Amino acid sequence: MSETLPRAALGTPTPDSAKAGPAVGLTVWRYVIRFFLVLVFALPLLFMLVSSLKPDTQIFGDLDSINAFLPVGDVSLNNYTAVFDRVPFWRFMMNSILITVLTVTLGLIVNSMCAFALARLRFRGQGILLGVILATLIVPFETLALPLLWWVNLLPYFDGSIGWLDTYEVQFVPFIANAFSIYLFYSYFDSIPKELDEAAKVDGAGWFTIYRKIIMPLSGPAIATVAILTFLPAWNQYLWPLMAVQTEELRPVLVGIDYFSQLTTNWGQIMAYASMITVPVLVMFIAFQRAFINSIASSGVKG
């Protein structure tokens, strides 16, 4: 009689139930790995935010316990108010916003036009030119910093003077053209069917019209990727402004951290300052997380 009973009634695992066990285990491990990665990236940020609410003595006293990540003890906003007393925070913030917006906006225009010429036009030495542009990626900026500083000091300024040092222009103009951005645009433009160009030419469109009305409207994922990847280096500029800018009113936010290491180092104020300049970036990435992931997936670099 037992032979006529269903396999499930006898406790014998069915093929579906046999597959379900390993699948559940794999899902659990995936969540464990994700939770671990979240801790790795989130705990330093949590420590920074919590430490910005504590005095230095408590910050160092809590380092050997879980209290280092908890807002307990002598918690206040004194470090934040001290930041505004010690540095012109809003001036630094507005300078960084201006420099970042100009770098991203002009970079999108210049790099996309350069990539359009390389991907859609045909001219002698095209491949060599692309190779030279990509070769610049292996040269670290520290190698170019001093020669670049010498060159910008010889450029004529708008008022007839010589030298761009101590200006807003010197902080974003040298970084508008970017080899990696050009290659991202080039890879995406090269994947768009060239039959669209021929159809537009039949209707009397020129190359600039094709670029502006056909290629760019189809390149939303590439534009989003380049904009986001250009934003972070522009916002995090430190070495170059430190070398090229001496006037306090022109400095970006990251250079302002140096103000807290003068005379005595106040770590609570440093954490408060770092929190204020980090939170806007985190909010932006959380708000545009889906667009960032989709743009990276849609415009991945093609080999």
Side-chain angles (χ1 to χ4, degrees):
M1 179 177 177
S2 62
E3 296 179 356
T4 62
L5 293 176
R7 297 175 62 186
L10 296 176
T12 305
T14 62
D16 291 339
S17 63
K19 294 179 181 179
V24 171
L26 184 60
T27 301
V28 171
W29 276 109
R30 285 176 179 174
Y31 278 105
V32 170
I33 294 173
R34 291 175 184 177
F35 180 74
F36 175 76
L37 292 176
V38 168
L39 289 180
V40 169
F41 289 102
L43 284 181
L45 297 176
L46 180 61
F47 175 78
M48 178 183 67
L49 291 172
V50 171
S51 298
S52 68
L53 303 172
K54 301 177 181 179
D56 285 6
T57 54
Q58 186 172 346
I59 292 175
F60 290 105
D62 292 343
L63 287 178
D64 58 349
S65 67
I66 192 64
N67 290 338
F69 301 99
L70 300 176
V72 295
D74 187 9
V75 176
S76 68
L77 297 177
N78 292 337
N79 290 325
Y80 288 90
T81 57
V83 166
F84 291 97
D85 295 333
R86 194 161 183 175
V87 299
F89 175 79
W90 292 117
R91 166 60 67 178
F92 292 164
M93 178 68 75
M94 294 306 298
N95 289 342
S96 285
I97 292 174
L98 176 63
I99 293 167
T100 302
V101 169
L102 289 173
T103 303
V104 173
T105 304
L106 296 176
L108 288 174
I109 297 172
V110 171
N111 295 319
S112 63
M113 294 183 71
C114 179
F116 176 82
L118 291 170
R120 315 301 286 190
L121 278 64
R122 291 293 176 262
F123 53 89
R124 182 175 298 179
Q126 186 176 15
I128 296 176
L129 179 59
L130 178 61
V132 171
I133 292 174
L134 296 180
T136 62
L137 290 173
I138 66 175
V139 182
F141 175 74
E142 290 76 10
T143 304
L144 304 174
L146 288 179
L148 183 60
L149 189 69
W150 182 76
W151 275 110
V152 297
N153 195 37
L154 298 178
L155 293 175
Y157 200 60
F158 303 108
D159 59 2
S161 60
I162 300 298
W164 281 25
L165 298 183
D166 234 15
T167 63
Y168 282 115
E169 290 80 4
V170 76
Q171 300 184 65
F172 69 88
V173 171
F175 307 100
I176 292 175
N178 182 275
F180 186 64
S181 299
I182 292 173
Y183 186 58
L184 281 177
F185 274 124
Y186 171 84
S187 300
Y188 197 89
F189 292 169
D190 195 49
S191 66
I192 298 176
K194 294 181 173 58
E195 288 77 8
L196 296 175
D197 300 356
E198 302 299 328
K201 289 179 183 179
V202 172
D203 293 335
W207 283 117
F208 184 74
T209 302
I210 295 173
Y211 160 80
R212 183 170 59 91
K213 293 187 176 182
I214 298 177
I215 301 301
M216 290 303 287
L218 294 174
S219 304
I223 293 173
T225 303
V226 172
I228 293 172
L229 296 181
T230 304
F231 170 84
L232 272 182
W235 183 264
N236 292 330
Q237 279 197 72
Y238 174 78
L239 177 62
W240 180 247
L242 198 64
M243 297 171 60
V245 178
Q246 299 299 322
T247 303
E248 183 179 78
E249 289 75 15
L250 301 177
R251 288 174 173 169
V253 288
L254 216 60
V255 177
I257 291 183
D258 286 345
Y259 285 63
F260 299 95
S261 60
Q262 299 171 0
L263 299 179
T264 58
T265 302
N266 190 309
W267 291 104
Q269 294 179 14
I270 291 177
M271 295 298 179
Y273 186 85
S275 298
M276 287 192 289
I277 67 177
T278 302
V279 168
V281 181
L282 292 177
V283 170
M284 188 202 72
F285 272 96
I286 292 173
F288 296 98
Q289 180 182 18
R290 185 178 300 274
F292 176 68
I293 295 174
N294 291 340
S295 63
I296 290 292
S298 301
S299 60
V301 177
K302 299 177 178 62

